[in-house]
């Protein structure tokens, strides 16, 4: 299991750094600050050794890749030196569960044990926070497919009045997979940003502002890498001001990076768009177009594509490179059908331009999705050419992307990413392994 990779530090004076280093060593001893304040703490040589290696790396503004065995107490071993070295710290975890644990449990415990005055913040991806604008719209629309959705919506409306963070993890009543969530949370594509009438009270922006002001920010790899891949801007805003970056569970990075250093689209995205187009069209420009028929056509095209996947030999669980797709013609037909339905909606949105800001926002969203789909249609045509010709083209630098298709029981996601995603950890640095 990988431990943290830590880089950079505030430029403290040699004396201050030496004092801080002694304090790190002492904190992990049998009569140190941790033993005095943390119930059940017992000193471990491996934990102290890792903590000192992390501290030295921070002091040198270097890079460390550390691997430590179970029971080392890795979280304390990177948090204590990071806290005592000072400066702004970013911790990224592999899972949201560990993220919540580091923020809610370990950080608080250590800040108290070390008697520090440190402001910490938790930051998750925007889909984890209620979107007040979309919640109001969904509530006003009042049309939900099932009674359970309506019950969930009532719980969420009550929760929105009480919560300080808008973090949906605080609402245990509504399961994480409930279909209501996409209707009351935002994506980068459907967020109104500066145009939003609820911007001042927006939970997403509040969490980002708190993160920018904090000394220690805890994120997860999905958010960290999504932002590095320029898909959103919450981490990128404060990363340049960060002195120390710690990537816990770093062995999970390649898989997460593969998802984010690329572009793609999905059937879920189509369903969201169809739902938004129907709701917004009826609410803001009723009579301006046949909104219900247009959104139904998109949903039908999505269903048709799903059927054609089977004809293309892509069953649930398939995750293959486009080049290896057994039969591309049915897939191309399905994708072209989706594009046709989107084109009809784009024309309707264009014809109603200027009537409402949210309706207008569908325009760029449709354009981005159609551009991605156009690239796939071109790739489906291109991939019919002999492999050697395709390779020659890539060597020319004309196309350095790899295209993959992932199919599950509920989703279809074509993705493409560059052949060599940039490494989040610099190639040079030290490597430590302990047990
Ligand atoms: S700014 Fe975006 S996320 Fe925030 S309330 Fe408005 S639409 Fe929702």
């Amino acid at each position: 299991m990988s431990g943290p990779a830590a880089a950079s530090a505030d430029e403290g004076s040699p004396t201050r750094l030496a004092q801080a280093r002694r304090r790190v060593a002492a904190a992990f001893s049998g009569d140190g600050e941790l033993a005095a304040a943390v119930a059940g703490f017992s000193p471990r040589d491996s934990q102290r050794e890792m903590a000192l290696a992390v501290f030295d790396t921070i002091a040198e503004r270097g890079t460390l890749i550390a691997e430590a065995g179970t029971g080392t107490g890795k979280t304390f071993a990177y948090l204590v030196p990071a806290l005592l070295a000072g400066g702004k710290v970013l911790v990224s975890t592999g899972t949201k569960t560990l993220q919540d644990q580091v923020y809610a449990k370990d950080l608080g415990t250590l800040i108290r044990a070390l008697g520090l005055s440190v402001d910490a913040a938790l930051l998750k991806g925007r889909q984890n926070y209620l979107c007040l604008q979309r919640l109001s719209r969904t509530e006003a629309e009042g049309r939900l497919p099932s009674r359970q959705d309506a019950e969930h919506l009532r719980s969420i409306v009550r929760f929105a009045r009480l919560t300080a963070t808008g973090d949906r993890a605080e609402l245990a009543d509504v399961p994480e997979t409930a279909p209501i969530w996409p209707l009351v949370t935002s994506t980068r594509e459907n967020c109104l940003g500066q145009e939003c009438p609820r911007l001042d009270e927006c939970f997403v922006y509040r969490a980002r502002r708190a993160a920018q002001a904090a000394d220690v920010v805890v994120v997860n790899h999905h958010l960290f890498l999504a932002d590095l891949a320029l898909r959103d801007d919450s981490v990128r805003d404060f990363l340049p001001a960060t002195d120390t970056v710690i990537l816990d569970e770093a062995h999970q990075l390649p898989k997460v990076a593969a998802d984010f250093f690329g572009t793609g689209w999905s059937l879920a995205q189509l369903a969201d768009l169809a739902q938004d187009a129907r709701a917004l069209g009826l609410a803001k420009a009723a009579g301006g177009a046949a909104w219900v028929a247009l959104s139904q056509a998109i949903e039908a095209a999505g269903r048709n594509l799903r059927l054609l996947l089977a004809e293309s030999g892509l069953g649930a669980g398939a995750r293959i490179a486009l080049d290896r797709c057994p039969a591309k013609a049915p897939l191309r037909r399905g994708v072209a059908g989706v594009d046709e339905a989107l084109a009809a909606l784009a024309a309707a949105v264009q014809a109603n331009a200027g009537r409402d800001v949210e309706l207008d926002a569908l325009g760029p969203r449709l354009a981005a999705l159609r551009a991605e789909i156009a690239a796939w249609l071109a790739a489906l045509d291109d991939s019919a050419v002999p492999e050697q010709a395709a390779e020659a083209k890539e060597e020319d630098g004309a196309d350095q992307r790899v295209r993959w298709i992932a199919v599950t029981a509920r989703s279809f996601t074509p993705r493409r990413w560059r052949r060599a995603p940039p490494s989040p950890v610099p190639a040079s640095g030290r490597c430590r392994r302990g047990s």
Side-chain angles (χ1 to χ4, degrees):
M1 175 176 173
S2 297
S8 304
D10 73 324
E11 283 179 326
S13 69
T15 314
R16 197 196 73 74
L17 285 174
Q19 282 171 349
R21 191 180 195 280
R22 280 198 294 279
R23 190 170 170 193
V24 171
F28 287 94
S29 65
D31 55 357
E33 289 169 288
L34 300 184
V38 180
F41 177 83
S42 60
R44 279 159 282 181
D45 288 344
S46 55
Q47 189 180 36
R48 197 163 72 127
E49 189 193 341
M50 178 173 156
L52 289 171
V54 171
F55 184 87
D56 291 342
T57 304
I58 294 173
E60 292 163 8
R61 305 176 73 83
T63 301
L64 171 72
I65 299 173
E67 184 179 7
T70 307
T72 303
K74 293 185 284 289
T75 314
F76 278 22
Y78 64 70
L79 283 178
V80 169
L83 289 169
L84 292 178
K88 192 165 173 108
V89 180
L90 175 75
V91 179
S92 180
T93 64
T95 60
K96 277 194 274 178
T97 308
L98 183 61
Q99 184 188 8
D100 284 330
Q101 183 204 306
V102 168
Y103 174 76
K105 193 163 160 271
D106 299 337
L107 252 181
T109 300
L110 290 176
I111 289 170
R112 277 191 302 279
L114 298 170
L116 299 171
S117 171
V118 169
D119 187 12
L122 180 73
L123 185 62
K124 296 181 179 176
R126 64 161 62 244
Q127 71 281 7
N128 291 280
Y129 300 97
L130 277 186
C131 165
L132 293 169
Q133 175 70 7
R134 288 173 64 77
L135 176 60
S136 302
R137 205 189 75 207
T138 305
E139 200 185 359
E141 198 188 329
R143 267 197 310 252
L144 290 167
S146 75
R147 190 178 289 183
Q148 190 172 51
D149 289 335
E151 269 170 35
H152 286 157
L153 181 62
R154 279 194 290 278
S155 299
I156 292 170
V157 169
R158 276 196 302 276
F159 170 66
R161 291 195 198 108
L162 301 172
T163 177
T165 66
D167 183 347
R168 62 192 243 191
E170 292 173 9
L171 182 59
D173 292 0
V174 181
E176 207 172 326
T177 52
I180 189 75
W181 284 120
L183 301 179
V184 298
T185 55
S186 66
T187 63
R188 189 181 179 222
E189 290 76 29
N190 63 29
C191 171
L192 296 180
Q194 299 301 318
E195 305 284 325
C196 179
R198 313 292 296 267
L199 187 63
D200 285 347
E201 29 176 358
C202 171
F203 292 120
V204 174
Y205 282 83
R206 260 196 233 167
R208 291 180 179 187
R209 280 195 295 272
Q212 274 167 27
D215 304 303
V216 181
V217 183
V218 186
V219 300
N220 57 61
H221 297 343
H222 280 84
L223 178 62
F224 183 68
L225 291 173
D227 280 10
L228 287 187
L230 310 185
R231 293 160 69 89
D232 217 332
D233 53 10
S234 53
V235 171
R236 277 191 302 135
D237 277 355
F238 60 78
L239 199 56
T242 300
D243 300 290
T244 302
V245 175
I246 297 170
L247 305 173
D248 197 344
E249 296 176 323
H251 61 287
Q252 296 184 12
L253 277 172
K255 186 175 182 308
V256 183
D259 284 342
F260 286 107
F261 283 94
T263 54
W265 57 284
S266 66
L267 284 181
Q269 215 176 329
L270 284 186
D272 283 354
L273 188 65
Q275 158 77 29
D276 286 352
R278 179 168 34 224
L280 285 167
L282 292 176
K284 314 287 185 178
W291 301 109
V292 174
L294 287 166
S295 63
Q296 282 174 343
I298 294 175
E299 286 161 352
R303 283 194 299 275
N304 188 45
L305 172 56
R306 182 169 269 297
L307 291 176
L308 289 169
L309 287 178
E311 271 187 48
S312 285
L314 300 170
R319 188 180 172 89
I320 63 166
L322 178 61
D323 293 353
R324 305 222 167 112
C325 175
K328 296 183 188 79
L331 179 60
R332 197 195 183 289
R333 268 204 318 279
V335 175
V338 166
D339 189 50
E340 222 168 275
L342 291 174
L345 176 61
V349 170
Q350 177 64 33
N352 287 277
R355 293 181 71 163
D356 175 76
V357 64
E358 279 190 274
L359 193 58
D360 286 350
L362 287 178
R365 217 170 131 190
L366 275 158
L369 181 55
R370 291 195 64 212
E372 188 60 36
I373 287 176
W376 271 84
L377 286 171
L380 280 161
D381 292 338
D382 257 15
S383 63
V385 303
E387 207 168 290
Q388 277 179 346
E391 276 172 16
K393 183 179 173 188
E394 289 181 354
E395 277 165 20
D396 287 347
D399 186 354
Q400 290 295 323
R401 291 182 179 265
V402 179
R403 287 180 173 77
W404 282 80
I405 296 165
V407 184
T408 70
R410 295 172 54 184
S411 73
F412 164 67
T413 315
R415 298 197 64 78
R416 56 192 179 123
W417 66 83
R418 293 196 175 279
R419 283 199 177 276
S423 167
V425 178
S428 65
R430 293 188 293 157
C431 215
R432 292 266 180 117
R433 174 176 288 208
S435 59

